[in-house]
Amino acid sequence: IIYRVVCELINNSLKHAQCSEIVLSLREESGLLVLDYRDNGKGFVLRDVEDLGMGLSNIRSRISSVRGKFSIHSRPGEGMSVRVSVSVNGSDITPDTSSLEPVYRKKRVRRNGRKDH
């Protein structure tokens, strides 16, 4: 699953980000397999690309299938970074190690105009 996620990330960076550099690290940390990935591409606004293509949703689905966590951060002109964290023994990741955010956190606007997260 991690291999397929890395392939998808590299493909997205080369195909869409116009990056010249990709940095990847994979390590075991306190019972977790942690993947950090970043590129120096053109970046994007996540909500603008959520429904385009299957790449990000495939990654999210793969990581969810092993009860892992996946976060993505990007801004136009600043590249993209991703962190994936998966338990090496297949158990759920405990709350104290899950500082990762879900990739699809949509904002909802209530009737009074305030945003919910």
Side-chain angles (χ1 to χ4, degrees):
I1 286 174
I2 296 295
Y3 170 77
R4 294 288 181 204
V5 167
V6 169
C7 289
E8 188 68 46
L9 289 169
I10 291 172
N11 183 55
N12 287 348
S13 290
L14 296 176
K15 185 175 180 180
H16 303 293
Q18 302 169 347
C19 68
S20 62
E21 183 177 79
I22 294 172
V23 178
L24 172 78
S25 77
L26 184 64
R27 67 187 177 285
E28 189 273 334
E29 188 176 285
S30 302
L32 298 176
L33 185 60
V34 179
L35 167 69
D36 285 312
Y37 178 97
R38 66 182 163 89
D39 71 34
N40 67 346
K42 63 183 182 178
F44 54 90
V45 175
L46 184 58
R47 71 177 169 271
D48 292 346
V49 299
E50 285 177 337
D51 298 324
L52 301 175
M54 295 297 294
L56 293 177
S57 60
N58 280 342
I59 292 170
R60 185 180 124 193
S61 176
R62 289 178 196 276
I63 298 305
S64 292
S65 74
V66 291
R67 297 183 295 214
K69 300 290 181 182
F70 171 64
S71 68
I72 185 167
H73 301 282
S74 185
R75 288 187 184 161
E78 296 183 14
M80 173 194 67
S81 64
V82 170
R83 176 167 280 186
V84 173
S85 184
V86 177
S87 173
V88 294
N89 64 12
S91 62
D92 286 334
I93 298 174
T94 57
D96 61 318
T97 60
S98 63
S99 61
L100 303 174
E101 301 172 21
V103 67
Y104 292 97
R105 181 174 9 143
K106 294 187 178 182
K107 294 181 180 178
R108 297 182 311 264
V109 177
R110 291 189 270 174
R111 289 184 184 190
N112 64 6
R114 295 179 55 208
K115 291 181 182 177
D116 270 340
H117 296 280

